[in-house]
């Protein structure tokens, strides 16, 4: 007997796919350059808003979307890697998947942050450059164009390879639950809350992120 359980609430699913599309678009616009950099900057603000939303949602969102649900101890990670994991390791983010999530969020935050401090000395200057020294701007620009870019690409590639491994080798359905939210599980577990009230809370969290991103975008204009 299997149990159908709501694991990924709608706000988490929308965040996941919107972030994925935004990161792809950021990479494309960065490679194209020229006038596409206008959209690169705009997409940077979108990702900033999404990251703020995820930070809030990691505290108040559905059960399996909260950071506390996949903040595993090193000992539990080791047991999972040895094949002696806890049954709930396969419900939401596994211990290994959790590391990937935290790493990707941290790298994206660093990439957005350094982007706001970057200056290509041609047509683009981040809104926060006026608050720091030229040396800091140079370091941020160098990281954003080189190290940060390749860290993001590397982690995205690892994320995709991990999905292929779990789907093809371990026969774990990972894509469908992130589309419709539910998982078929051998044992009942606590579902994620995904009702009207939680979705309204998600809209408020997203509005907070969007407001912060908009405010940051105005800081550059304030210098003129």
């Amino acid at each position: 007997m299997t149990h159908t359980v709501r694991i990924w609430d709608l706000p988490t699913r929308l965040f996941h796919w919107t972030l994925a599309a935004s990161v792809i678009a950021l990479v494309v616009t960065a490679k194209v350059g020229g006038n596409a950099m206008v959209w690169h900057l705009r997409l940077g603000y979108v990702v900033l808003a999404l990251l703020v939303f995820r930070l809030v949602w990691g505290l108040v969102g559905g059960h399996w979307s909260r950071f506390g649900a996949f903040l595993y101890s090193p000992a539990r990670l080791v047991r999972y890697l040895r094949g002696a994991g806890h049954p709930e390791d396969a419900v939401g983010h596994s211990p290994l998947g959790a590391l990937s999530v935290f790493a990707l969020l941290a790298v994206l935050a660093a990439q957005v942050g350094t982007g706001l401090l970057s200056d290509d000395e041609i047509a683009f200057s981040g809104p926060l450059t006026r608050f720091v020294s030229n040396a800091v701007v140079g370091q941020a620009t160098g990281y954003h164009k080189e190290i940060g870019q390749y860290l993001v690409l590397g982690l995205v590639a690892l994320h995709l390879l991990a999905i292929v491994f779990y789907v093809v080798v371990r026969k774990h359905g990972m894509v469908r639950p992130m589309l419709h939210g539910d998982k078929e599980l051998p044992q009942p577990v606590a579902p994620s809350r995904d009702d009207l009230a939680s979705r309204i809370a998600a809209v408020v969290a997203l509005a907070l992120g969007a407001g912060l991103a908009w405010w940051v975008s105005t800081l550059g204009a304030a210098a003129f």
Side-chain angles (χ1 to χ4, degrees), residues 183-197:
K183 268 191 175 183
E184 297 293 330
L185 300 170
Q187 73 284 340
V189 297
S192 286
R193 182 179 179 182
D194 192 17
D195 54 16
L196 179 60

Side-chain angles (χ1 to χ4, degrees), residues 10-162:
L10 181 62
T12 297
R13 285 177 277 147
L14 291 176
F15 162 82
H16 178 273
W17 296 113
T18 304
L19 183 66
S22 298
V23 170
I24 292 172
L26 277 169
V27 172
V28 172
T29 52
K31 297 300 182 183
V32 172
N35 293 332
M37 291 304 294
V38 174
W39 282 102
H40 187 77
L41 178 61
R42 291 170 179 170
L43 286 164
Y45 292 131
V46 170
V47 173
L48 173 59
L50 289 172
L51 291 175
V52 173
F53 163 79
R54 189 63 184 93
L55 177 63
V56 175
W57 204 238
L59 301 175
V60 302
H63 175 76
W64 297 101
S65 297
R66 296 188 182 189
F67 297 136
F70 57 98
L71 191 62
Y72 300 104
S73 67
R76 186 159 170 178
L77 173 61
V78 171
R79 288 196 297 270
Y80 176 80
L81 293 175
R82 289 177 174 174
H86 190 278
E88 288 194 357
D89 289 350
V91 177
H93 291 301
S94 69
L96 198 58
L99 282 181
S100 175
V101 170
F102 286 125
L104 189 55
L105 291 176
V107 168
L108 284 174
Q111 191 68 354
V112 170
T114 52
L116 297 173
L117 291 167
S118 294
D119 187 346
D120 66 1
E121 298 182 347
I122 300 174
F124 170 80
S125 179
L128 302 184
T129 54
R130 69 190 185 95
F131 298 104
V132 297
S133 66
N134 290 335
V136 172
V137 170
Q139 291 171 347
T141 303
Y143 174 91
H144 188 81
K145 288 184 175 182
E146 301 295 336
I147 300 174
Q149 176 185 178
Y150 294 115
L151 280 176
V152 171
L153 291 174
L155 285 174
V156 169
L158 283 175
H159 185 70
L160 293 175
L161 288 173

